[in-house]
Amino acid sequence: MRKISIDRQTKETKISLNINLDGSGKSEISTKIPFFDHMLEQIATHSLIDLSIKCDGDIEVDYHHTIEDVGLTIGQAIREALGDKRGIKRFSNSYVAFDETCTRTVMDLCNRPFFIWKTGTTLEQVGGIDVELFSEFFKSLVNEAKMNCHIENIYGENSHHKIESCYKGLARSLKDALMIDKRIKNSVPSTKGIL
């Protein structure tokens, strides 16, 4: 089973995380930021990853440390649970519709982190969270997981729909990229022989 537990503690956050990449989408999320909890539940539900996160952060200062550190911890957990990545599909993409919004996510679990974020939110906050913190979450997760990930709102109007579709898009792409392809068997999906 590709699963791992991580405890991460700094002066700003204390995080306990359990992840099972071969789960069924169960989640227990508590960051004390309700909208962020809801977005993290989207990742578990739509990727079929079992995800348990408890975070005590300095949210009285602001939400930045909690959101960034949770992203780092999820990214680390994905990377460590994947091990040498033998047999994974590696590449994936998804299109997620949420009412008037359409978001495209393209991913490569390649050990070469790179992140593109193209969203056009019109509000300064969504769900009480500064909009710029959503890109910080994704960037932290992508860099720590050592993946290449491009997320783009192709069109849409409602900022809530745009943000939520990004989380669902990440989840759907993760679900496919993490899959074991029996035709690849026990090798790494790279002409180099290593990722």
Side-chain angles (χ1 to χ4, degrees):
M1 295 289 285
R2 301 178 298 169
K3 58 185 179 180
I4 197 164
S5 297
I6 293 177
D7 290 308
R8 181 181 195 275
Q9 187 166 352
T10 70
K11 291 180 179 178
E12 299 162 341
T13 60
K14 180 179 179 183
I15 299 171
S16 294
L17 180 145
N18 295 293
I19 196 168
N20 178 358
L21 301 183
D22 300 306
S24 59
K26 296 178 199 168
S27 65
E28 284 185 51
I29 311 290
S30 176
T31 67
K32 299 184 179 70
I33 306 173
F35 186 75
F36 186 48
D37 289 356
H38 180 53
M39 294 301 100
L40 296 173
E41 289 167 358
Q42 300 300 322
I43 292 176
T45 298
H46 297 292
S47 67
L48 298 179
I49 292 173
D50 290 346
L51 187 59
S52 170
I53 301 172
K54 183 176 186 329
C55 177
D56 292 315
D58 58 356
I59 59 173
E60 69 281 357
V61 174
D62 69 9
Y63 293 163
H64 188 126
H65 300 140
T66 293
I67 290 173
E68 181 179 43
D69 288 2
V70 167
L72 289 169
T73 309
I74 294 172
Q76 177 187 349
I78 291 169
R79 177 175 40 83
E80 291 182 10
L82 272 174
D84 64 8
K85 302 181 181 176
R86 290 189 181 278
I88 65 166
K89 288 177 69 177
R90 177 182 163 183
F91 297 99
S92 65
N93 64 79
S94 65
Y95 287 82
V96 171
F98 187 167
D99 293 347
E100 85 299 341
T101 297
C102 183
T103 297
R104 173 176 49 219
T105 306
V106 183
M107 181 179 295
D108 178 8
L109 300 179
C110 61
N111 284 346
R112 291 185 307 280
F114 202 88
F115 180 55
I116 299 291
W117 174 258
K118 292 187 177 182
T119 61
T121 53
T122 56
L123 300 177
E124 290 185 13
Q125 290 192 336
V126 173
I129 299 171
D130 292 344
V131 167
E132 65 186 15
L133 294 182
F134 295 111
S135 65
E136 287 300 316
F137 166 80
F138 285 103
K139 181 173 67 174
S140 298
L141 188 156
V142 165
N143 286 337
E144 198 63 32
K146 295 191 175 180
M147 69 170 72
N148 185 319
C149 185
H150 300 227
I151 301 174
E152 178 182 18
N153 294 140
I154 299 171
Y155 50 80
E157 296 175 12
N158 183 291
S159 294
H160 178 129
H161 296 170
K162 289 180 176 184
I163 294 299
E164 186 164 337
S165 66
C166 292
Y167 280 84
K168 289 177 177 176
L170 177 86
R172 289 301 309 224
S173 290
L174 267 175
K175 177 177 176 264
D176 291 344
L178 295 170
M179 256 186 214
I180 301 292
D181 187 329
K182 292 179 182 177
R183 293 171 298 170
I184 299 171
K185 296 186 182 171
N186 215 11
S187 63
V188 175
S190 171
T191 56
K192 296 176 183 180
I194 189 170
L195 287 172

